[in-house]
Amino acid sequence: MTTYDRYLLFRYFHIIAVFLIASIGLFAVIDGFTNLDSFQESVEQANGTSLMLLNLMAHHYFYHSLMVIDLAGPSIVVISAVSTLALLLKSGEIHPVLAAGIPTYRLTLPLAVGVLAISGALLANQELVLPAIAPKLQRKHGQSAEDAQNVDPQFDLRWQMFLTGEGVYPEEKRLHKPQFRIQPPLLTTDYFTLEAEDAVYLPPQSDEDGTQRPGGWLLKQTSVPFQEFPLTELGRQNIVPQTNGTDVFINTHLSFSQMSRKTSNYRLMGTPQLLRFLHEPYGSDISRRGILMHLHSRITQPLLTLVGLYIVIPLIVRKDRMSTMQQVTNIATCVIVLAMIYGISIGSSFLGQSGIVPAEQAAWAPIILGGSLAGWLTGSVRT
C-alpha cells in the first residue's frame, strides 16, 4: 500500500468517524430531550440526584449507539465515499495522480478496502455485540436491570399452548407470573391454565451419555398441584413434575428470547439463533419468510454497500470537464441514484417478507440491478 493509499484510507475513516459521531450525537440529543421526563421520573422514584440522571442517560445511550451504528452504518459507509471523492476533486488532489497514469479504479482501491473493513466491523457488531446486549436495548427510557419488561405473548403450534406472563427480567432470564394456557386434546383433556410464581427457560442439552434433553420451561411454585393436572398420556411425557413437589418442567420450543423481545426484531438475534428458528417445524409461514429475508439481507448487505461504492465513483469522478456547479450537480445526482437503489432494496424486502416474491430473489435483486448500473457507468469515469 502506497503513501497515497494510506492517506486516502485515513481520510475516508476520518469522514466515517465524523458522520458516526454526528449521527449518534443527533440521536442522543433529540431522543434524550423527547424522553427526558421518563428519565427524571425514574430518578425521582429512586430519590437520586442530577448525577444519577446523567449516569442513567449515558448508560442508556451508550448501548443504543451500537444499534444506531448497525442501522445507519451501511448508509454512512457509502455517503462517506461520496464526501471523500468530492473533497479530493475540490482540492485538486486527484489530478496529479491521474496524470501519472494511475487508473481511477486503482486510485480508489483504498476506498474499497475501507468499505470491506467497515462492513466486517458492522457484521461483528451485528453477530456478537447486539445479541449480547439485547436485554439492555429492550429497556424503556429510564428502566434499570431490576425493572420488569413487557412480555411478548407467544403461541406454541406444536402443543396448542399459549404462553404469557406479567413481566420478564432479561438480566436474570426469568419470566414472572407465567401463564400456560393449554388446549385439548394433545396435552390435556380439558382447557387448562397452569400458573406459577416464576419460570426459567432451560435450553436443550446433551447428557454425558449422549442423550439429548429437550428444551423447555421450569415452572417454580405452581398454583395447582401436579396431581390435579388434566393430562393425557402425551401430556405426562412432556409435563414432568420435579422432586420438590412444587416445580414442573414443560417441554416446549418457545425460548426465553421469544418472550423477552419482539420476534420481528431480528437485529437483536445472531445468525445461529435465526437458523434455529428457521428450522423450527412448528413456526408460522410469516415468521419463516421474515427470518429468511433477514438472513439473505445479512449476506447481501456488504455486497450492496460495495456496489454502492462503484456506483458513486463514475458519478462523482466523471471524464467531462466540470465546473464547481457541475460537481454539485453530480453529487446531487449521485445521492438521488443511491436513494433509488435504497428504495428498491426496501421495496424488495417488503415483497420478500409478504411472500409476493421469493426471499432469495427479493434479497439479490438490488445487487443485480446495482451491479448492472455500476458496470454501465464505467464508461463515464475519468481516467
Side-chain angles (χ1 to χ4, degrees), residues 17-322:
V18 171
F19 275 123
L20 284 177
I21 293 173
S23 301
I24 294 171
L26 187 63
F27 165 75
V29 169
I30 296 176
D31 190 77
F33 276 106
T34 304
N35 299 281
L36 185 59
D37 293 341
S38 300
F39 290 107
Q40 289 179 332
E41 183 179 351
S42 299
V43 172
E44 290 174 358
Q45 291 177 353
N47 296 322
T49 61
S50 299
L51 184 61
M52 178 181 177
L53 174 63
L54 293 176
N55 181 61
L56 188 63
M57 294 183 68
H59 189 267
H60 177 85
Y61 288 110
F62 171 76
Y63 289 107
H64 278 74
S65 65
L66 297 173
M67 177 61 79
V68 173
I69 291 174
D70 182 69
L71 293 171
S75 299
I76 289 177
V77 167
V78 180
I79 295 299
S80 297
V82 175
S83 301
T84 303
L85 292 174
L87 290 174
L88 287 177
L89 285 174
K90 183 177 181 298
S91 59
E93 295 175 90
I94 198 172
H95 303 301
V97 182
L98 293 178
I102 299 176
T104 301
Y105 285 110
R106 170 59 186 89
L107 166 68
T108 57
L109 182 61
L111 297 181
V113 174
V115 167
L116 294 177
I118 299 298
S119 297
L122 292 175
L123 181 62
N125 179 62
Q126 185 178 62
E127 292 292 337
L128 303 176
V129 180
L130 292 184
I133 64 172
K136 297 178 175 60
L137 294 175
Q138 293 171 298
R139 297 177 189 169
K140 296 181 179 179
H141 299 84
Q143 277 190 332
S144 63
E146 292 75 22
D147 298 325
Q149 299 181 13
N150 295 332
V151 177
D152 187 15
Q154 298 292 325
F155 186 75
D156 188 339
L157 295 174
R158 178 185 183 185
W159 300 129
Q160 299 296 304
M161 177 193 308
F162 182 78
L163 176 55
T164 184
E166 291 187 2
V168 292
Y169 294 84
E171 299 290 342
E172 304 175 17
K173 298 189 179 301
R174 174 168 60 93
L175 179 62
H176 185 57
K177 297 291 185 181
Q179 293 183 1
F180 287 75
R181 301 171 187 174
I182 309 174
Q183 301 178 10
L186 293 178
L187 300 182
T188 60
T189 58
D190 196 2
Y191 288 93
F192 177 64
T193 298
L194 177 58
E195 300 179 355
E197 186 65 25
D198 291 298
V200 179
Y201 181 76
L202 303 179
Q205 295 180 350
S206 297
D207 294 334
E208 295 180 356
D209 58 356
T211 304
Q212 183 70 22
R213 295 173 54 189
W217 289 87
L218 178 63
L219 280 67
K220 300 181 178 180
Q221 300 181 12
T222 56
S223 58
V224 179
F226 178 78
Q227 293 76 11
E228 300 181 12
F229 294 1
L231 299 179
T232 62
E233 183 62 30
L234 183 61
R236 294 187 182 92
Q237 297 175 9
N238 292 277
I239 301 180
V240 182
Q242 303 300 294
T243 55
N244 58 7
T246 60
D247 299 349
V248 172
F249 176 79
I250 298 182
N251 173 22
T252 174
H253 75 282
L254 293 178
S255 65
F256 180 82
S257 60
Q258 292 173 276
M259 304 301 302
S260 63
R261 68 186 69 170
K262 292 295 182 182
T263 54
S264 59
N265 193 0
Y266 300 126
R267 289 185 178 274
L268 299 181
M269 304 181 190
T271 298
Q273 187 175 12
L274 290 176
L275 290 174
R276 287 196 299 269
F277 288 165
L278 183 63
H279 290 92
E280 173 57 51
Y282 303 99
S284 64
D285 291 337
I286 296 177
S287 63
R288 287 177 185 275
R289 287 198 299 266
I291 293 173
L292 188 60
M293 189 66 211
H294 190 78
L295 286 172
H296 278 282
S297 297
R298 289 192 178 187
I299 298 173
T300 57
Q301 185 62 66
L303 298 176
L304 187 60
T305 304
L306 192 61
V307 167
L309 171 64
Y310 284 99
I311 291 176
V312 166
I313 293 173
L315 290 177
I316 299 296
V317 189
R318 300 181 63 85
K319 65 171 58 175
D320 304 328
R321 296 181 64 88
M322 294 181 294

Side-chain angles (χ1 to χ4, degrees), residues 348-370:
S348 298
S349 178
F350 172 77
L351 294 176
Q353 291 182 6
S354 61
I356 299 176
V357 177
E360 298 83 356
Q361 298 179 12
W364 289 90
I367 294 182
I368 297 174
L369 179 62

Side-chain angles (χ1 to χ4, degrees), residues 302-348:
L303 298 176
L304 187 60
T305 304
L306 192 61
V307 167
L309 171 64
Y310 284 99
I311 291 176
V312 166
I313 293 173
L315 290 177
I316 299 296
V317 189
R318 300 181 63 85
K319 65 171 58 175
D320 304 328
R321 296 181 64 88
M322 294 181 294
S323 62
T324 302
M325 184 55 64
Q326 186 61 41
Q327 291 179 6
V328 174
T329 303
N330 290 340
I331 294 174
T333 303
C334 181
V335 172
I336 292 174
V337 172
L338 292 176
M340 292 175 60
I341 296 295
Y342 181 71
I344 292 173
S345 177
I346 294 178
S348 298

